[in-house]
Amino acid sequence: MFRITNFQELMKGLPRGSFDAIVNKHNANKYTKQFGYWQHAIAMIYAQLSGVSSLRELQAGFNGHAAHHYHLGASAIKKSTLADANSQRKDAVFVDVVQLLMQKASRSVRQQSKEWLCLLDSTPIFLKGREFDRWTEESKTRHTQGLKLHVLYDTKAEVPTWQSITAPNVNDVTKAWDVPLKKGAIYVFDKGYCDYGWWREIDLAEAQFVTRFKCNAGVSIEKELPIEEADKGIVISDQIVRFKHKHTRAKCKLHYERPLRRVTVMREDKATPLVLATNDLTSTAREIAQRYK
């Protein structure tokens, strides 16, 4: 009698119909002959889970379980075919598949939580050496040579929900415009994402953000909010503010014109306070500071 393996059970999380729909969207299987994208994905997922260190080892291990190939929708693989597929195929299909899985994982956990907190940041991936220098030299910066990984991380689901890899000289806020904004989410990011037009897009998406004001941000104070007794000594000020000036550049239509909250809090490890910006006008100052922390 047929018995479902752990690998087959795991693959239930990626329905074949959803995968094929992504392949069809990109018209990706047009020139793949018998070794299609599904077979490619099955082989590489098996490689990751089994910890193989070479294509030869992958071929031997995967083909050793021929009895289960039919139920996976796969067949025996060849090392040379895998090598060609890994080097020649575009990653668009697999990028969309990853996004699909990220969203599924996020939704299942997010339903158990009232607050949907998403952290946006980037990190360098250093690639330096004889084989890397020839294609990373032109895009390197003073601090980084190689790549930059941009990630949106759902803190409740504990999974990334969006990612992008760029050259290190691509500005963080440039990629921020590609982030899929969701109604009800709270986006938290640092001063590297200071773009008032993008802040406005978050607001229009009926989402919230918590970030930091730059020290030269020109704002006018509209209202001083009271500080709760328990927060005195931690919260220095809590204000409703607006930007003083509209941009005269082409992006003036994207300028943030609505009121903002400016919360100033002490930092234990530094002498200078933290000046936070948010479009959340109702939460307490302590809650806003805790989200950024």
Side-chain angles (χ1 to χ4, degrees):
M1 180 179 293
F2 169 69
R3 182 178 178 183
I4 299 177
T5 65
N6 291 335
F7 185 49
Q8 290 162 346
E9 188 70 25
L10 175 68
M11 291 307 300
K12 288 182 178 179
L14 178 57
R16 179 68 182 270
S18 299
F19 186 94
D20 287 346
I22 292 173
V23 172
N24 292 335
K25 183 183 78 172
H26 293 281
N27 196 23
N29 266 342
K30 188 174 181 180
Y31 302 107
T32 57
K33 297 182 180 180
Q34 294 183 349
F35 190 73
Y37 273 79
W38 176 256
Q39 171 91 349
H40 192 183
I42 290 288
M44 299 315 295
I45 293 171
Y46 176 86
Q48 181 68 27
L49 296 176
S50 61
V52 299
S53 58
S54 68
L55 293 182
R56 187 181 300 279
E57 189 179 348
L58 169 57
Q59 174 185 276
F62 188 83
N63 292 347
H65 297 279
H68 301 298
H69 289 174
Y70 172 79
H71 302 281
L72 286 168
S75 59
I77 58 176
K78 294 181 179 180
K79 180 173 69 70
S80 59
T81 304
L82 269 173
D84 290 341
N86 287 343
S87 63
Q88 296 174 10
R89 288 183 180 174
K90 296 182 179 179
D91 62 359
V93 169
F94 299 111
V95 168
D96 283 1
V97 169
V98 169
Q99 297 289 1
L100 171 68
L101 294 175
M102 285 178 176
Q103 292 168 11
K104 288 178 63 176
S106 177
R107 281 196 300 269
S108 64
V109 180
R110 193 165 64 239
Q111 292 170 356
Q112 307 170 17
S113 171
K114 293 182 179 179
E115 188 166 275
W116 182 12
L117 202 65
C118 299
L119 311 182
L120 179 63
D121 207 350
S122 68
T123 186
I125 301 174
F126 291 97
L127 300 172
K128 191 172 183 180
R130 186 177 61 182
E131 296 300 321
F132 292 122
D133 289 348
R134 59 188 176 84
W135 62 271
T136 61
E137 186 72 24
E138 292 184 0
S139 62
K140 73 176 183 180
T141 67
R142 185 159 55 98
H143 303 290
T144 307
Q145 178 177 332
L147 300 170
K148 183 188 285 188
L149 173 64
H150 309 259
V151 176
L152 184 70
Y153 184 79
D154 187 325
T155 60
K156 291 298 183 182
E158 297 184 350
V159 294
T161 55
W162 172 88
Q163 52 76 34
S164 181
I165 296 177
T166 67
N169 59 355
V170 173
N171 195 285
D172 287 351
V173 77
T174 300
K175 292 304 298 180
W177 284 87
D178 295 336
V179 172
L181 302 174
K182 303 294 184 180
K183 179 179 178 180
I186 303 173
Y187 296 93
V188 182
F189 42 88
D190 62 21
K191 288 191 293 185
Y193 297 89
C194 186
D195 184 323
Y196 303 148
W198 183 58
W199 294 7
R200 178 177 180 270
E201 291 299 303
I202 297 175
D203 202 69
L204 291 175
E206 298 184 54
Q208 294 180 337
F209 62 85
V210 180
T211 184
R212 293 171 60 187
F213 275 114
K214 286 191 173 181
C215 59
N216 61 350
V219 297
S220 57
I221 300 172
E222 292 198 342
K223 185 179 180 180
E224 292 278 356
L225 300 178
I227 301 173
E228 294 185 10
E229 193 65 33
D231 295 337
K232 290 182 179 178
I234 300 174
V235 179
I236 299 173
S237 66
D238 188 1
Q239 304 162 323
I240 302 295
V241 301
R242 284 184 189 267
F243 289 113
K244 290 181 179 179
H245 310 291
K246 291 184 179 181
H247 293 306
T248 57
R249 301 193 300 262
K251 279 194 174 182
C252 63
K253 63 180 180 179
L254 297 177
H255 182 66
Y256 199 101
E257 297 179 344
R258 298 182 182 183
L260 283 169
R261 188 97 165 268
R262 182 170 69 176
V263 177
T264 306
V265 295
M266 292 295 296
R267 289 189 285 185
E268 295 179 359
D269 55 339
K270 293 187 179 181
T272 57
L274 202 62
V275 184
L276 302 176
T278 180
N279 61 339
D280 181 352
L281 306 183
T282 58
S283 298
T284 68
R286 180 186 285 267
E287 288 172 337
I288 291 168
Q290 188 62 40
R291 288 168 188 164
Y292 189 83
K293 182 180 180 180

